[in-house]
Amino acid sequence: MTRRKCRLWWPEQFLSCTSSSNLFLFGWFMDSVNSLDIVVAAAIPSLNLSVHLLQTNLEEILRSVNGNMPVGFRESSTFSMLGYYTADYPDRKLKPVGNQNDENPSKTKDHLHCLGVKDSPVKANICDIVKKQCNQESDLEATSSDIYKRWNCGCKELVEPHRQSLMSCDYWILLFCKPRRILYKNKQIPCLHHIHHNGDVLSPVDVHIIIYEPPTYGASHLSLSYWRSPECVGLPLKKPNWVNELHKKPLLLDLNRVLMALNCANAAKILLEQRKGISGPISHFFMSILLRLASIVWHMVAALVASISTVVYIFLQLFNKLLSFRPRTLSFVLPKMFKHTWENVHIRSCQFLYWPIFLQDTGVSSKPNVEYAHKAALRKHFMWSNVLMDVLFGTVLGVLLLTNVEAICTWVLVTVGLLTNDLLRSGCVWLMGVPAGFKLNNELAELVGMISLNAIQIFSTLWFFLGAFLRLYIQVLAVLGIVFGSTVPVALCIDMLKLVTLHVYALHYLISFLYSQQIQALASLWCLFRGRKRNPLRQRLDSYDYTVEQHVVVGSLLFTPLLLLIPTTSVFYIFFTSLITAILSLCITFEIIISLVHATPYAEILLWIISRRRFPSGIWFRIKYANYEMSVEACSPTYLDIRNKDFFVGGSESLVSVLCSNYATIGQVIRHYYSDIFSEVSPSFCTSVARGMLSGQRFPSTLGTHMPSTMPWMQITWREYWKLSYTAVLSSRL
């Protein structure tokens, strides 16, 4: 018969009490095809439990703890009492285990002595119960499960006091402590004596003891996958046969349920201790005082934040009312002229209005699982942290603008003057002559140049009058940055940059129209000379017989002048296209900055700096003891020779390892958010820009990065909004 494999998941903090305590173990027992997984979540000393409480309240307590677990997990695994751990290792061996039908009641005290309850205060109660059970053995065998009838290893005396709570269970484990067996951090590792499973006694068993640190909310959790990794990875369509066979084989380590149990272990332990009232009255009193003080302070903070949020809510509602009274012409023109500013103001207003909604509690079912709770906290704290950091950046930007208004105005005026005189005017005059030695058509060059110079002069005249409002514009930028954050003034800079360069856009549109028409005419005439004609229905070139008049009149009289004028048009087109490309590159840079500010997960970055363990990226095992050899860390001069078979009395050799976790880097944390910025960008953006520049056609003027979604305007009273903000702050927790 093959030996069963068992993985015993033992909490690290229980190692300190294993050498001096007798414990009742609670957790999950998971039976899979390959092995048995026993996850120990809580351990209660036998001194703290009385037989009366075990008989009456344990089943209700376990049912209550199970009811607080996640729905999907409690349907597959049940939190229950796992077994018993005894630290009083006797001088003689424990009683051999086996599937016997009779048991000598006279050996009950010996079994209790061997199980480590000789000094327990509940020994008398247990002995009385055992004697009573022996006197009424026939009645008990009629009502008890067949599983307990076959327990002749000394565990029956421990099971009987709480038999009513274990009637639905078919498993029980017995652990004991070896003297001078120090393996991990000068602490003793428990040994598995045997397992009761489905009415059978399993011994010996190949045991893998895994020491783990229970994940706690706000500190760490465990995960099998990489951080932000997709749930399923697409495989190539054509796979070798050995790959298909490999996918058909069962997994050797099915750790999904086990990690779910580990992530819920701390919550189950706390719930069990709360239901049993194990903590002392003095510690409970001081803890209640501290919690009460913290609750009072948090309520004061919630009231303050709710009041400030309500003031902002009233201001936004008044602002919305004022905008609703604008004329229809302005309601159509303003969103077109200030497109980016309008969009960012609406996004930020919705974020101001809806932040209490995103901070509301996500429900009770996800709290016990630390992994779900951490991810839910990151989702609901993303928006308010983003708004807070954006407003902080905007405040810094606004203060810098207000304190340097004169210097900024002087710099802007000098820069505009240099660009207008040294770049635009000088460039147009240079193109009207002989640029770089190219001989151009003088008449066409002078015509286009004079039109360009007149447009530049008109802009210079308008700028002379608009320059008086430059100081007011900078102050408006500063106020918008302080109130709405840095994204709104940056968006206003994009709109104003396009507005003040409107003459460059107009000249570029005129030259590009002329250039594209010449290119299309030359392409059509070239097809005429080749005897081809474009078929627009089938999108191809068909053969066509042209007449002599068409060749001579249309071809010769039109092709030659257009070919000779194309260099003049091209140099002006290249000049204005270069200017437009520089302006659009600056606008796209501002657009990317806005998207980066919106998409940066400031809460996750802060939490990664404070507690990197909240971002797991897979698990691994550090072997501490295997193959009958000690690790360096476990070496001790008083350690017994574990190669002696007598050392494992009635049990089996154990593999001891420590559960470790990998953690995500800062790049892995923010990569998902930054990749979403360009998710809406067309893959053919660069191709469209290049094709438009070469052919003279229109090309995209914005990159189209991802922006936060807008929501409908909230319409509730300020009292309801204050209550909503107050409850949101109370339920928020990182």
Side-chain angles (χ1 to χ4, degrees):
M1 181 178 179
T2 59
R3 293 157 61 105
R4 292 298 302 270
K5 295 179 174 58
C6 174
R7 291 193 296 264
L8 178 63
W9 303 79
W10 189 264
E12 182 179 351
Q13 67 267 25
F14 291 169
L15 296 176
S16 59
C17 61
T18 54
S19 60
S20 60
S21 301
N22 298 325
L23 308 174
F24 286 97
L25 305 178
F26 296 86
W28 294 273
F29 189 96
M30 302 176 185
D31 190 2
S32 60
V33 178
N34 301 303
S35 64
L36 305 175
D37 285 287
I38 303 173
V39 180
V40 179
I44 301 177
S46 58
L47 297 176
N48 295 334
L49 293 177
S50 64
V51 178
H52 176 69
L53 289 177
L54 286 174
Q55 287 178 339
T56 56
N57 295 334
L58 183 58
E59 184 177 1
E60 181 181 352
I61 291 171
L62 295 178
R63 188 183 301 111
S64 176
V65 174
N66 275 305
N68 287 276
M69 294 294 106
V71 178
F73 178 60
R74 67 169 177 255
E75 291 178 354
S76 59
S77 302
T78 304
F79 183 82
S80 60
M81 180 181 286
L82 298 177
Y84 189 77
Y85 172 85
T86 175
D88 298 331
Y89 181 77
D91 296 334
R92 49 182 177 162
K93 296 181 180 181
L94 291 175
K95 182 180 178 180
V97 295
N99 292 333
Q100 300 174 4
N101 295 326
D102 297 327
E103 180 184 0
N104 189 357
S106 63
K107 297 183 180 181
T108 299
K109 294 184 179 181
D110 294 336
H111 298 166
L112 293 175
H113 176 80
C114 295
L115 290 172
V117 296
K118 60 181 181 179
D119 298 328
S120 175
V122 300
K123 174 185 175 183
N125 294 330
I126 296 179
C127 291
D128 293 339
I129 292 177
V130 172
K131 291 179 180 179
K132 187 183 296 183
Q133 303 298 334
C134 292
N135 295 332
Q136 301 177 357
E137 184 176 1
S138 59
D139 296 335
L140 286 175
E141 292 186 1
T143 58
S144 300
S145 174
D146 293 336
I147 298 173
Y148 300 101
K149 298 177 186 178
R150 303 174 66 180
W151 287 11
N152 301 308
C153 55
C155 294
K156 186 176 180 180
E157 288 78 9
L158 293 172
V159 176
E160 290 296 342
H162 42 80
R163 177 167 53 86
Q164 297 297 328
S165 302
L166 299 174
M167 289 301 296
S168 60
C169 302
D170 55 356
Y171 50 82
W172 179 268
I173 62 174
L174 177 62
L175 304 176
F176 63 97
C177 181
K178 290 285 188 179
R180 295 176 294 174
R181 188 172 190 260
I182 303 174
L183 289 180
Y184 181 66
K185 294 183 179 180
N186 296 326
K187 298 176 182 179
Q188 295 184 352
I189 305 296
C191 299
L192 178 65
H193 188 264
H194 64 274
I195 303 175
H196 294 271
H197 179 58
N198 292 329
D200 298 327
V201 179
L202 305 180
S203 181
V205 181
D206 291 334
V207 183
H208 182 190
I209 299 178
I210 304 172
I211 303 170
Y212 74 95
E213 183 179 354
T216 56
Y217 185 79
S220 64
H221 70 270
L222 299 171
S223 177
L224 283 176
S225 60
Y226 291 102
W227 185 254
R228 299 290 183 186
S229 63
E231 296 182 359
C232 56
V233 179
L235 295 175
L237 295 179
K238 295 181 179 180
K239 300 183 290 293
N241 294 329
W242 65 269
V243 175
N244 297 326
E245 296 295 332
L246 184 62
H247 283 284
K248 293 179 181 179
K249 293 183 178 180
L251 295 176
L252 295 178
L253 294 176
D254 187 11
L255 296 177
N256 291 320
R257 283 199 305 163
V258 174
L259 287 190
M260 178 79 76
L262 297 180
N263 287 323
C264 298
N266 188 65
K269 176 178 176 292
I270 294 175
L271 290 171
L272 182 64
E273 292 178 352
Q274 288 177 351
R275 298 298 188 274
K276 289 299 298 177
I278 295 174
S279 59
I282 298 179
S283 61
H284 181 73
F285 175 73
F286 284 109
M287 184 60 66
S288 62
I289 292 178
L290 292 177
L291 292 176
R292 185 63 178 173
L293 291 176
S295 178
I296 293 173
V297 173
W298 194 244
H299 278 75
M300 295 173 62
V301 172
L304 178 62
V305 174
S307 301
I308 297 175
S309 179
T310 304
V311 173
V312 175
Y313 174 78
I314 295 173
F315 170 76
L316 291 177
Q317 294 295 341
L318 293 176
F319 181 71
N320 187 38
K321 292 292 183 182
L322 291 176
L323 291 179
S324 62
F325 290 107
R326 64 182 182 271
R328 292 186 177 180
T329 55
L330 292 179
S331 63
F332 177 77
V333 174
L334 287 179
K336 295 293 183 181
M337 292 179 59
F338 301 95
K339 176 183 177 182
H340 295 85
T341 307
W342 195 270
E343 181 182 5
N344 282 273
V345 168
H346 186 59
I347 290 173
R348 185 46 41 83
S349 299
C350 291
Q351 290 176 342
F352 278 139
L353 294 177
Y354 279 89
W355 73 265
I357 304 298
F358 287 91
L359 277 182
Q360 293 298 320
D361 201 352
T362 56
V364 182
S365 60
S366 63
K367 286 184 177 179
N369 191 331
V370 183
E371 180 182 4
Y372 293 168
H374 281 170
K375 292 182 178 180
L378 292 177
R379 284 194 299 268
K380 73 177 185 179
H381 291 290
F382 171 79
M383 193 186 73
W384 76 264
S385 62
N386 189 283
V387 173
L388 180 63
M389 294 302 298
D390 194 4
V391 172
L392 181 61
F393 295 154
T395 303
V396 174
L397 178 63
V399 172
L400 292 177
L401 291 176
L402 291 176
T403 54
N404 300 278
V405 175
E406 295 296 335
I408 294 174
C409 290
T410 304
W411 179 81
V412 171
L413 291 175
V414 172
T415 304
V416 171
L418 291 175
L419 292 177
T420 302
N421 296 322
D422 297 344
L423 184 61
L424 291 178
R425 284 197 177 98
S426 300
C428 291
V429 172
W430 180 64
L431 293 177
M432 291 170 65
V434 185
F438 287 99
K439 180 62 178 177
L440 305 180
N441 186 275
N442 294 330
E443 289 76 11
L444 181 60
E446 290 180 359
L447 176 63
V448 177
M450 290 302 298
I451 293 175
S452 302
L453 290 175
N454 289 330
I456 296 170
Q457 183 61 39
I458 293 173
F459 166 76
S460 300
T461 305
L462 293 175
W463 178 252
F464 177 78
F465 294 102
L466 293 176
F469 299 96
L470 182 59
R471 182 189 303 271
L472 179 61
Y473 170 71
I474 295 175
Q475 293 174 352
V476 170
L477 283 180
V479 173
L480 289 176
I482 295 173
V483 175
F484 291 99
S486 61
T487 54
V488 174
V490 174
L492 184 59
C493 289
I494 296 176
D495 294 329
M496 290 301 297
L497 183 61
K498 291 184 177 181
L499 188 61
V500 298
T501 57
L502 188 60
H503 61 296
V504 181
Y505 277 93
L507 292 174
H508 176 264
Y509 178 77
L510 176 63
I511 298 300
S512 62
F513 176 76
L514 181 61
Y515 175 77
S516 63
Q517 294 300 320
Q518 288 181 348
I519 293 296
Q520 292 178 7
L522 288 174
S524 299
L525 292 174
W526 179 249
C527 291
L528 184 146
F529 292 142
R530 296 169 57 201
R532 295 295 185 89
K533 182 180 181 181
R534 182 167 184 79
N535 189 342
L537 296 178
R538 298 188 177 183
Q539 297 295 322
R540 68 182 185 183
L541 294 175
D542 297 334
S543 300
Y544 188 79
D545 294 332
Y546 292 97
T547 63
V548 177
E549 291 79 5
Q550 289 175 332
H551 277 281
V552 174
V553 176
V554 179
S556 301
L557 297 181
L558 292 181
F559 182 79
T560 304
L562 288 176
L563 184 62
L564 295 176
L565 291 177
I566 195 67
T568 305
T569 309
S570 299
V571 294
F572 278 94
Y573 175 75
I574 293 172
F575 175 72
F576 285 105
T577 301
S578 302
L579 294 178
I580 289 298
T581 304
I583 295 171
L584 291 181
S585 299
L586 186 58
C587 293
I588 289 175
T589 303
F590 286 155
E591 184 180 352
I592 294 175
I593 291 174
I594 293 173
S595 299
L596 288 175
V597 173
H598 280 302
T600 301
Y602 301 101
E604 294 193 20
I605 294 175
L606 178 62
L607 290 175
W608 185 87
I609 296 173
I610 297 175
S611 178
R612 190 181 174 188
R613 299 176 62 189
R614 294 187 61 167
F615 302 88
S617 184
I619 62 173
W620 57 285
F621 300 91
R622 180 188 291 119
I623 304 300
K624 288 298 179 181
Y625 169 70
N627 297 328
Y628 308 112
E629 294 181 0
M630 291 180 57
S631 63
V632 177
E633 183 178 354
C635 186
S636 174
T638 60
Y639 188 80
L640 294 179
D641 187 5
I642 61 175
R643 288 171 291 185
N644 185 2
K645 295 298 181 179
D646 295 336
F647 183 76
F648 294 92
V649 180
S652 58
E653 297 85 353
S654 301
L655 169 65
V656 180
S657 62
V658 181
L659 178 63
C660 303
S661 178
N662 295 322
Y663 305 110
T665 61
I666 188 64
Q668 293 174 340
V669 172
I670 64 177
R671 184 186 305 165
H672 169 73
Y673 297 96
Y674 286 170
S675 61
D676 287 344
I677 295 177
F678 304 98
S679 60
E680 298 182 2
V681 178
S682 176
S684 60
F685 175 79
C686 296
T687 306
S688 301
V689 172
R691 186 185 296 112
M693 289 182 178
L694 293 176
S695 62
Q697 302 294 330
R698 297 186 63 181
F699 49 86
S701 59
T702 58
L703 188 60
T705 55
H706 176 74
M707 297 290 289
S709 59
T710 57
M711 291 161 283
W713 196 265
M714 182 183 292
Q715 295 289 346
I716 59 176
T717 62
W718 66 270
R719 292 184 179 87
E720 294 176 348
Y721 189 80
W722 189 92
K723 294 179 181 178
L724 190 65
S725 303
Y726 182 76
T727 56
V729 176
L730 290 181
S731 63
S732 64
R733 183 185 173 190
L734 285 175

